Amino acid sequence: MRTHRTITLLTIAAAGVLALTACNPQTSDNGKPAASNTATPGPSSAPSSAAPATKTATLANFVGKGLQTAQDEAQAAGFYALKSHDALGRDRLQALDRNWKVCSQTPAAGATIDTGTSVDFGAVKLEETCPATDAPAPGPAGDTMPNFVGQGMKAVRGALPSNASITVKDAVQSRMVLQESNWKVCSQDPKPGTALNGRPVSFTVAKTEETCP
């Protein structure tokens, strides 16, 4: 019985040593903790923040070309920020580019510029004559009535306050004025310089190619 008790105690002691070994970190021969085989990830390298190189190109001369052709050639050269305006100052939209031709361009031809630069074409319809310089559209009317005679009716309407009461009548015949961009002002009421003060305004108009009576 005494021998059996001794063996049992030795067995319990050995099990305790094994349990302590499993719980403690691994040690090296000198008693210090052994180095882990798991690599510690280093700081990730930040992506480069360098700005892309600016692209430049020389702007060709598009004056005299059809507006659609000018736009196609400008895009082929790398210029995509394109816009156009009515060179006669009538505020007409270039709804069908093939029916318009280029009278002016900004920036001017020959400039070597960033291809992201906006290029603006001044244009007129194919049957029209380009003006010597682009005619500006009328500015906002303000408190007094400007002189609108000869101006495109569409541009005139845009220059007046949005809540203005406006009457438009054909000065040549009794036609309906449906597309105001094709009509010009022949007379106006009130006269230029008159205070507007919210009063109604009226115009007589004729087709752009007609002579006012």
Side-chain angles (χ1 to χ4, degrees), residues 2 17 56 71 77 86 125 127-128 144 167 188 206:
R2 186 174 299 172
V17 171
T56 60
Q71 291 173 338
D86 184 353
K125 289 190 175 182
E127 65 274 12
E128 297 172 340
T144 59
T167 302
Q188 62 181 64

Side-chain angles (χ1 to χ4, degrees), residues 26-105:
Q26 192 176 11
T27 58
S28 61
D29 295 339
N30 58 10
K32 296 181 179 180
S36 173
N37 291 329
T38 304
T40 302
S44 59
S45 57
S48 174
S49 59
T54 301
K55 294 183 179 180
T56 60
T58 300
L59 192 65
N61 185 6
F62 299 107
V63 173
K65 295 187 176 184
L67 180 58
Q68 184 64 65
T69 299
Q71 291 173 338
D72 291 345
E73 292 183 0
Q75 290 179 353
F79 297 97
Y80 290 94
L82 306 177
K83 59 183 180 179
S84 61
H85 65 274
D86 184 353
L88 295 179
R90 298 175 190 161
D91 198 26
R92 295 172 295 179
L93 296 177
Q94 292 73 60
L96 188 58
D97 296 332
R98 290 179 177 82
N99 289 343
W100 295 73
K101 61 186 178 184
V102 177
C103 296
S104 65
Q105 65 182 67

Side-chain angles (χ1 to χ4, degrees), residues 88-165:
L88 295 179
R90 298 175 190 161
D91 198 26
R92 295 172 295 179
L93 296 177
Q94 292 73 60
L96 188 58
D97 296 332
R98 290 179 177 82
N99 289 343
W100 295 73
K101 61 186 178 184
V102 177
C103 296
S104 65
Q105 65 182 67
T106 305
T112 300
I113 55 176
D114 184 343
T115 54
T117 302
S118 177
V119 180
D120 187 13
F121 297 117
V124 297
K125 289 190 175 182
L126 296 177
E127 65 274 12
E128 297 172 340
T129 301
C130 287
T133 57
D134 280 10
D143 296 330
T144 59
M145 187 71 167
N147 185 2
F148 287 127
V149 174
Q151 300 277 1
M153 187 59 221
K154 182 177 184 292
V156 169
R157 184 179 290 274
L160 290 167
S162 59
N163 62 348
S165 298

